[in-house]
Amino acid sequence: MTTIILKPRKEESVLRFHPWVFSGAIARIVLDATHRAAEPEEGELVCVQSADGRVLGAGHWQVGSIAVRLLAFGDERISGSEDEWISALLRKRIAAAYRMRQRLGLLREDNNTYRLIHGEGDMLPGLVVDVYGNTAVVQAHSVGMHRCRKAIAEAIVEEVKEVDAVYYKSDDTLPFKAEISEPKVGYLVERLKLNVERSSKVESGEFWSVENGLSFRIDWLRGQKTGFFIDQRENRALVERYAAGKDVLNMFCYTGGFSLYALRGRAKSVHSVDVSQKAIDLVNANVERNFPNCPNHKAVTADAFDYLSEQRAQGHQYDLIILDPPAFAKHRDAVKNALRGYQRINAKAIEMIRPGGILFTFSCSQAVDKEAFRLAVFSAAAQTGRKVRILHQLHQPQDHPINIYHPEGEYLKGLVLYVE
Ligand code: SAH
């Protein structure tokens, strides 16, 4: 195996279990005999050593400033063949993650939707697995995880007893420039294909999953990400608590998650807005399934900024608004513009809230931290001149854990505001 030797003192963060080795920390690379090129291959398993020769761990090599994403630290040394080692490690990590979700009470009759693996938060950097009933949807964010996809699928069906189908969906998540063997999408575990009835339901978009007693149509074949945004589950439940008797506006609604909870919470009216027609079709299907012939829900296909401006011009107001936009900043260099975007959309929303109303506002941009987001919302509030107080500070839920040694894993932030 190739060995990555760090510069003196650069082992400190690895000894504190930080799962990334930056390229600047590397003193030299000792390639194993199989290499012809001067560099390790992207995605290959490498061993990391300190300058004085201590084995620190093993992980996947990556091209870029994060050079190694560590899967194991010193105490889990490499033994046996690489394939045996990675299979055993994946099984151990997946079993531990599953046990944790069970202990947290996420697997219930009225809830079979949860994130099983959240990258660094479950000590498997580069891997995301979402579970919808008996199907797991796998996303690889690194070439290393792409290479292990078969072993990942086998470990999931062995360790997670409800799951008998694993779908791989990494066309949008794998590093852009990497040379990657196909396919990047498709079933990894074939058993679903044998189950003709279920498989045709998926093909026709009639697969339903349950979150806190509400049914959602999940379409991992055509939907965004793995098909659903599980990370807002607890925040949706909080909306349910505030919804009674209110006129609710759910902006950037996608599948209508927040709308369904608001309807169950006896909202007076719920308007769901998204720019994508596919999302609006999903919201309508989800509302119809849970609240047939619902008279007080309306879904609108529109750009959020335009919609808010138009509604404002018509003097329309709401008691509760939810703003859950897509990541405005996907990279560090986009942060400034993103903050302007957050300020603009929040100011528009605050202006449209009736006195004594509530705003749920979120950012899922990893590059925008809690303080910066709060400052953008502060600027928005100041711009409107309304009196605003913070009622709750929200974040990602328990099945999206943050490894305490890897604070970069915190990405979802939310504020619940009381607008006088
Ligand atoms: N709140 C959702 C997740 C939102 S994801 C949930 O609970 O599941 C972000 C959504 O914003 C996507 O559905 C995307 O189609 C939509 N979107 C992106 N840009 C938009 C825009 N300018 N106006 C309205 N919707 C937009």
Side-chain angles (χ1 to χ4, degrees), residues 21 71 88 111 128 132 154 192 227 268 280 301 319 324 388 420:
V21 173
L71 304 167
N111 195 81
V128 162
Y132 303 113
E154 277 160 21
L192 177 75
K268 191 160 123 210
I280 295 303
T301 313
D319 304 302
D324 182 25
V388 173
E420 270 179 44

Side-chain angles (χ1 to χ4, degrees), residues 246 263 266-271 291 293-298:
K246 305 230 162 84
L263 287 169
R266 301 187 321 280
K268 191 160 123 210
S269 74
V270 178
H271 293 171
F291 309 99
N293 304 316
C294 179
N296 53 343
H297 177 259
K298 189 172 89 178

Side-chain angles (χ1 to χ4, degrees), residues 112-114 130-133 135 137 187 201-211 214-230 236 254-255 282 286:
N112 62 12
T113 308
Y114 62 95
D130 286 342
V131 174
Y132 303 113
T135 302
V137 183
Y187 285 99
K201 277 189 180 160
V202 174
E203 288 298 327
S204 61
E206 280 303 320
F207 182 91
W208 297 84
S209 184
V210 188
E211 181 187 271
L214 291 164
S215 295
F216 288 92
R217 173 186 277 175
I218 312 288
D219 187 350
W220 52 83
L221 301 178
R222 290 156 291 238
Q224 300 178 32
K225 306 274 169 95
T226 66
F228 190 60
F229 288 90
I230 301 174
R236 290 175 188 135
Y254 188 32
T255 57
L282 260 179
N286 287 335

Side-chain angles (χ1 to χ4, degrees), residues 224 228-232 236 250-258 273-276 279 302-305 322 324-328:
Q224 300 178 32
F228 190 60
F229 288 90
I230 301 174
D231 58 0
Q232 289 286 22
R236 290 175 188 135
N250 179 11
M251 298 299 294
F252 307 94
C253 63
Y254 188 32
T255 57
F258 284 103
V273 178
D274 200 287
V275 76
S276 144
D303 171 78
F305 290 88
I322 299 127
D324 182 25
F328 282 169

